[in-house]
Structure formats: C-alpha cells, structure tokens
Amino acid sequence: MSAETPTAASTVRLTVAQAVVRFLSCQFTERDGQRQQFFGGVLGIFGHGNVAGVGQALLEAELEADAGDGWKPAAQVPYITGRNEQAMVHTAVGYARQKDRLQTMAVTASIGPGSSNMLTGAALATINRIPVLLLPSDVFATRVASPVLQELEQDYGYDVSVNDAFRPLSRFFDRVWRPEQLPAALLGAMRVLTDPAQTGAATISLPQDVQAEAFDWPVELFRERTWRIVRPAPEKALVEEAAALVRAAKAPMVVAGGGVTYSGADDALRAFVEATGIPVGQSQAGKGTLPYDHPLCLGAIGSTGTTAANEIAAEADLVIGIGTRYSDFTTASRTAFQNPDVRFVNINVAGLDSVKHAGLPVLADAREALEALGAALEGFSTPDAYRERAARLNREWDAVVDRYYNSGLGERDGVLAQAEVLGAVDEVAEARDVVVCAAGSLPGDLHCMWRTRDRKGYHVEYGYSCMGYEIPGGIGVRMAAPDRDVFITVGDGSYLMMPTELVTAVQERVKVIVVLLQNHGFASIGALSESRGSQRYGTKYRYRDEQGHLAGDKLPVDLAANAESLGVRVLRVTTRAELVAALRVAKASEESTVVHVETDLYSEAPDGGGWWDVPVSEVSHLASTQTARAEYEVHKARQRPLL
C-alpha cells in the first residue's frame, strides 16, 4: 500500500459519515502494474439510522459540494438504491467476484432489521472469500435516548447490539464509538479486503449519532492510497518437494478451484497441464479455468461431477489442489479419492486451505506456484496413454451432455426437461457471456454440463448456495462486465426468495436476461428427499388435500406476471424452439428480460458417479427410509478419513 505524503500538516472538518464516503473515493488497488478504483459504488437503503449520516454524505459527494477545503474526489463512487439489504450484499459479491476481487462495493443499511438483513450476505461473502465492505448503522453511542427504535436490549450489557452478530460472519469487524476510532477502522478494513488470503466481509458498525458527529480529520486520511495485491512466491524447497511427488506419481491430477481464476492463473494452468499432461478436474468456483473442450479438461469433479473427472479421481495417487478449499461437493464428501496411497499437494494463499487432507502446503499465489512448479518439472510428462485417456473421457462426457441438451423430452411430454433449457441457453450464449446461478438443482446441472468457454463465463455461488442470490448477484456481474450478456438461471423457489432487485436493474438500466424455470416445487431438495426416503415431503407448491396434506392441485402462482409487474419485459415460452427464439430476442434487446418456461419437476441430469453425505434416519417405520438408510451405509463405508 502506498499513499501520497502530505506537504504540510493540516486537517479538514467533516462528519464521520462524510469522512467515510471521502475515504472510499480515494482507494485503489494495483496488481501486475494495473491500477483500478477499488470501490465501484455504494449500495444502500436508507432508514432513520443512516439517512442523515451516510445518506447526507453520499448526497454531498454526488453533488460535489465544496466543503471549503477545495477537495475533489479522486474518483466518483455512485450510489445505487437496493430493495433488500441481503440482496445488496449479493450484488456487491457478484460485482467483486467478476472483478477477480480487485474491486468491490460498499453497502449501507439502517439500524435493526436493515442491518441484520445483511447477515446472510456477510456469511456468503466470507465463505466464498469475496471482499465486501458492510456499513451497518448502530444504536446511539451516547445512549442519550436509549432504548431507541429497533434497539436490542440485553440485561447483561448495554454495549451489545444486533450488529454484534456480524462478528463471526466477518473477516474484520469494528464499531466506531468515537470519531477518533474511524481511521484505524477504515485502514483495518482495507487491509483485510485487499488481502487474498484473508478477504471476505469487512464490517464497520456506525452508531447513528456518531455518523453525524463532526471532527477535524488529518488530510492525510484522504490522500489517494494504492493497495498492492501481492503474489506470494512459493518456498523453493516446497516446490522441489512437490515436483518430486509429481515425478513419482503414476496417476496425478489437478483440482482447480476459484483461486486459479482470482489469481489470473488460467494461462499458467493451461501451460502447466499441457507441458506435464496432468488432467484437470474443476470445482464450482474453478469451472472455466480450462475451456470445456480442452483435451486435459475433465470438467466438474465431485458430487455433481462428470464421469471423466470422478473416474480419474478415484484412481489418482497425487492430487494437486490449486486454489480450492476442498468443500464436500468437490471431494464427494471424501469419497472421490479412493486410491489408498493418494497424496495431496495444496497450492493456496490461505494457510487454512493449504494444510487440508494432510497435504504438502505450498503457501503461494496460484500463478507464481504454477510457473515455479512447471519450471521444476521441465522435461516431465505423463505417458501419452494417460493424456489420450483424459481426452477420450472428455469426449465421452460431452456426448452425454449433448444427449441431455437435445433429448426431445419436451416434445414428448409437453414440458421441457431442465437440461433442455440449459442446452437452449448454451446454444444462444456467446463465449464471453456469463451464466449465473446459486441454489437448487440448477447448480449441479450447470456444473456437470455447462460448456464454459471463457475464464469468466461461469458464475455459480456455491460456497453458501444461497437461494435468492441469482438475480442480485447477476446484476452485480453485469455492472462489473457491461460488455457481456448475463444469463441468470433461476428456479421458482429461488426466484420467490428475492425477485425485488429486478426493480434495481430497471432503475439503473442494467440489462440482465433471467431464465425463470417454473416447475411448481423445489426440484433439488425434492429429489434429495426422495433419495433419502422422505418421499418429497413438503417440496411441492400444492394446496392441501382433503386429508390435510400438501398434495392437492398446483397453486395458481403466475411468476411471469410478477416479474412483469416489476418493470421488466417478460417472454413466455413452452417449447425449445420458442425458448431459443425468445433468448435471441432478449440478447438483441437493450433492456432486462425475463424468459419464463414451464419445466418438468422430475427431470434428471446425467449421473457422474459422485455422492453427497446427507445422513438418513437410522431408525424409521417407513420402508422408503429403511431402504435409503441401507444405501446410505454402503456409500458411507467408502468415505475416507482424510485429515
């Protein structure tokens, strides 16, 4: 981090909120010589806790009011009105992820429910290791009028507020009780936000009276600061040890995670695997690190993986994890790697992830480590037969995908299969367009089938798999990449969680294409329920029948009409040909469009042989549950005690 040195000691009198907004406008990041403004905007909903503090400060900044010191912002930080506080955090996450964590947004909310609504977004940002600055408002620091509206009272302490719930969900948390504390809080938040190993939600809690309090700030606080995103180099001895493990391996493979993309290491990965002949399986966050048709790309790995990746994983004696946190979906709940002698090399900037599965921890930037390891392995290559096997498995899986994309089930059954819908989107989308998703059965189908052709063309939030992320997250992606079309794929369950941000898309003229799949139920959890012996209980949108069960007729819910009421264009389709035509219309348009299509609740995706550990009741009077338990125990026996 660097900053201009002031020529003389001086101060400027501003409120705390004005100081925050001014500080945000002069923060920059730099990596590999490329410098960019760090905060691309402030998302907010105003209430009594922030309207006269942060709200006033944003107004003043937007009007470029002269506070008397002649200061002008280094960069404008626009204000964007959201409709739901959780959704605003999702939008910031989508923006930051698309920007490879080099830029982000700040989010302001009022006290009480306004701030607590952001808790889910905070957890999502931290779990996915995405930088977002949260500015929840808080109760009066002076306590002069306590308890104020929406204040949480606890008899064991008067310094506790709802905002304390942010502590375990944030990578950085501070509460500014006095103006003097603000500089340290701001710099501490920036330190974490710009640290690839520590990043996540950074929360600065701002009591509403303190926001409006004036203070004489050192001008130095508002000098332009450039935070350099470092690339930690790997220790030479560890690179040599990793190279020795690779040379000794008979069946090595790479598991590429999101860290490859955030590092911009995609080209380095491609060069590494082409030189060594080591095939690559991809996590949800790592999908796109190689194009789907690269002969060494095995595609998705794990619970929602391809037969190609999971077949190689089952035999692998060395797994090189690059930028992955080895979630249970990536490891198929620790059943993916069945070789009794399997070893792990973990390349990661985060110490927490580098030591998983008792692997060799190579604590380093993905690009730096790949280049160093590639140099150490000069002359090494897997046998031609191993390369050819990977390419053959790739082709075989792609043929499976083609059959599902073009199954014709919609013509036969009168309602499209989900895979047919994805096939239509894939047909219309261009290589640089982005598909966005988060929850339900769609992420699994996309993971194993979507033909990613660009490093930033796949955006599935699967660290938290948060229903409702899709629309606000997709808006953030489009804000970050206005030259790419964004296809948001969302089921009716997730749509109903958070459709309101379509209003934000209309207001800000941010074009997104929403593919809304209406199957009148929770497809993913319904299928899981059935496989675990719970008979899809409570997973369909139905009236109660005469026996009081939710098994009657379908609910007369019209989601297309709902979307239309929010100001977006809506196209209703029923056949695959109509869907393709509608998607082409939406792509050619300059406005946001929702394409509504009825789909089969029971349609299936291809099975890649992965498993997910969701425990089944050990005792039950239901035959369906008893059968599921017996099957569960078979899979459970294959689970490996990886550390």
Side-chain angles (χ1 to χ4, degrees):
M1 184 269 291
S2 64
E4 294 181 9
T5 302
T7 56
S10 58
T11 61
V12 57
R13 191 162 182 81
L14 302 168
T15 68
V16 167
Q18 291 162 0
V20 169
V21 172
R22 183 173 290 199
F23 179 87
L24 298 183
S25 71
C26 54
Q27 305 306 303
F28 295 80
T29 60
E30 181 271 325
R31 187 176 71 179
D32 301 336
Q34 187 172 10
R35 185 173 183 261
Q36 50 273 313
Q37 178 185 0
F38 187 57
F39 291 102
V42 177
L43 292 147
I45 296 175
F46 295 130
H48 70 278
N50 64 343
V51 67
V54 174
Q56 187 279 336
L58 287 166
L59 168 66
E60 193 164 296
E62 183 173 312
L63 298 177
E64 297 185 342
D66 192 336
D69 61 346
W71 183 87
K72 294 294 182 182
Q76 189 62 252
V77 181
Y79 170 71
I80 302 158
T81 303
R83 270 72 198 173
N84 177 287
E85 291 88 356
Q86 179 189 144
M88 293 191 302
V89 185
H90 295 338
T91 297
V93 167
Y95 181 92
R97 176 171 166 178
Q98 191 67 22
K99 291 288 191 178
D100 284 338
R101 307 190 300 194
L102 299 174
Q103 295 175 268
T104 189
M105 292 187 175
V107 186
T108 176
S110 188
I111 77 164
S115 289
S116 60
N117 278 350
M118 295 198 297
L119 290 169
T120 295
L124 182 146
T126 295
I127 286 172
N128 285 284
R129 287 81 184 279
I130 303 295
V132 176
L133 177 62
L134 304 181
L135 302 172
S137 301
D138 215 323
V139 298
F140 278 58
T142 59
R143 304 180 192 165
V144 66
S146 292
V148 298
L149 178 64
Q150 300 174 333
E151 179 175 352
L152 173 72
E153 289 187 277
Q154 293 287 5
D155 55 9
Y156 59 78
Y158 299 130
D159 63 340
V160 176
S161 82
V162 166
N163 288 1
D164 286 283
F166 283 98
R167 291 182 184 272
L169 306 178
S170 305
R171 295 295 291 177
F172 176 88
F173 178 91
D174 199 5
R175 182 182 278 113
V176 180
W177 292 116
R178 294 292 308 142
E180 296 92 331
Q181 299 168 346
L182 181 65
L186 290 171
L187 294 171
M190 286 300 302
R191 171 185 58 81
V192 170
L193 290 169
T194 57
D195 183 343
Q198 297 293 323
T199 197
T203 302
I204 300 177
S205 183
L206 297 172
Q208 56 184 306
D209 55 341
V210 174
Q211 288 183 39
E213 189 172 344
F215 187 74
D216 293 320
W217 307 96
V219 172
E220 182 182 2
L221 182 62
F222 309 114
R223 303 293 186 187
E224 288 188 22
R225 280 181 168 77
T226 300
W227 301 78
R228 288 185 171 79
I229 309 300
V230 298
R231 290 188 179 277
E235 186 178 337
K236 183 178 179 181
L238 289 173
V239 172
E240 292 173 351
E241 188 174 348
L245 289 173
V246 173
R247 290 183 183 278
K250 296 180 179 178
M253 79 173 299
V254 165
V255 174
V260 176
T261 296
Y262 299 141
S263 168
D266 310 86
D267 290 341
L269 175 65
R270 183 169 189 156
F272 175 80
V273 300
E274 287 178 351
T276 62
I278 301 175
V280 178
Q282 299 169 322
S283 72
Q284 280 279 13
K287 192 171 171 71
T289 50
L290 282 180
Y292 83 97
D293 55 354
H294 190 283
L296 288 167
C297 181
L298 302 170
I301 188 171
S303 300
T304 52
T306 68
T307 51
N310 287 339
E311 182 177 317
I312 295 294
E315 302 171 13
D317 57 357
L318 181 68
V319 177
I320 307 169
I322 309 173
T324 178
R325 62 191 189 96
Y326 290 117
S327 77
D328 61 342
F329 262 75
T330 301
T331 68
S333 296
R334 299 192 179 184
T335 62
F337 308 112
Q338 287 293 310
N339 190 317
D341 299 319
V342 65
R343 299 282 301 276
F344 293 83
V345 171
N346 300 327
I347 297 171
N348 211 295
V349 292
L352 172 66
D353 297 319
S354 70
V355 298
K356 290 178 178 176
H357 300 169
L360 176 69
V362 181
L363 202 62
D365 171 76
R367 193 189 73 180
E368 297 295 308
L370 278 166
E371 291 177 350
L373 185 57
L377 287 169
E378 186 176 359
F380 167 83
S381 175
T382 60
D384 290 344
Y386 195 57
R387 290 176 180 254
E388 292 164 3
R389 181 186 178 197
R392 173 178 56 79
L393 291 172
N394 175 304
R395 293 192 301 271
E396 290 174 355
W397 181 259
D398 194 53
V400 171
V401 172
D402 197 60
R403 289 198 298 273
Y404 273 81
Y405 273 3
N406 302 284
S407 66
L409 293 175
E411 294 182 10
R412 188 193 72 187
D413 301 334
V415 61
L416 289 175
Q418 187 162 282
E420 290 181 283
V421 173
L422 296 183
V425 178
D426 196 359
E427 180 179 331
V428 174
E430 297 177 0
R432 294 188 72 257
D433 293 341
V434 187
V435 63
V436 175
C437 197
S441 57
L442 280 165
D445 290 5
L446 287 164
H447 191 211
C448 69
M449 289 192 289
W450 187 256
R451 290 166 169 162
T452 307
R453 292 160 283 172
D454 181 87
R455 64 179 292 269
K456 300 300 293 186
Y458 184 87
H459 186 113
V460 173
E461 187 283 301
Y462 217 62
Y464 213 39
S465 187
C466 186
M467 295 180 71
Y469 173 88
E470 292 88 348
I471 291 173
I475 291 170
V477 172
R478 175 70 183 196
M479 287 179 172
D483 60 334
R484 298 172 183 251
D485 270 321
V486 176
F487 290 86
I488 300 170
T489 58
V490 60
D492 46 4
S494 277
Y495 175 86
L496 284 167
M497 290 279 182
M498 211 164 289
T500 52
E501 299 314 295
L502 287 173
V503 179
T504 300
V506 172
Q507 173 183 285
E508 298 295 329
R509 292 184 170 85
V510 175
K511 177 199 170 183
V512 291
I513 301 170
V514 180
V515 184
L516 173 53
L517 289 75
Q518 169 66 287
N519 54 30
H520 306 279
F522 296 107
S524 174
I525 209 67
L528 180 65
S529 170
E530 187 171 35
S531 71
R532 297 309 189 264
S534 296
Q535 304 175 16
R536 292 183 178 259
Y537 176 73
T539 64
K540 302 174 185 177
Y541 298 158
R542 301 290 188 271
Y543 284 112
R544 292 194 181 276
D545 60 19
E546 294 179 356
Q547 289 74 41
H549 305 307
L550 293 173
D553 293 336
K554 293 178 182 177
L555 301 179
V557 177
D558 191 340
L559 298 184
N562 171 264
E564 198 166 35
S565 75
L566 299 177
V568 297
R569 182 184 190 183
V570 175
L571 302 174
R572 298 175 186 252
V573 301
T574 56
T575 68
R576 193 182 191 283
E578 290 175 350
L579 175 57
V580 169
L583 291 171
R584 295 196 189 283
V585 168
K587 188 163 174 53
S589 174
E590 293 299 319
E591 61 180 334
S592 288
T593 304
V594 170
V595 180
H596 179 280
V597 57
E598 293 270 344
T599 56
D600 182 5
L601 181 62
Y602 305 100
S603 61
E604 297 181 351
D607 183 6
W611 179 68
W612 186 34
D613 190 350
V614 176
V616 180
S617 297
E618 195 167 0
V619 295
S620 174
H621 298 296
L622 300 176
S624 59
T625 306
Q626 294 169 3
T627 300
R629 178 68 194 191
E631 183 179 346
Y632 174 77
E633 290 176 353
V634 171
H635 287 287
K636 192 74 173 174
R638 299 179 65 248
Q639 211 163 28
R640 300 290 304 279
L642 301 172
L643 299 178

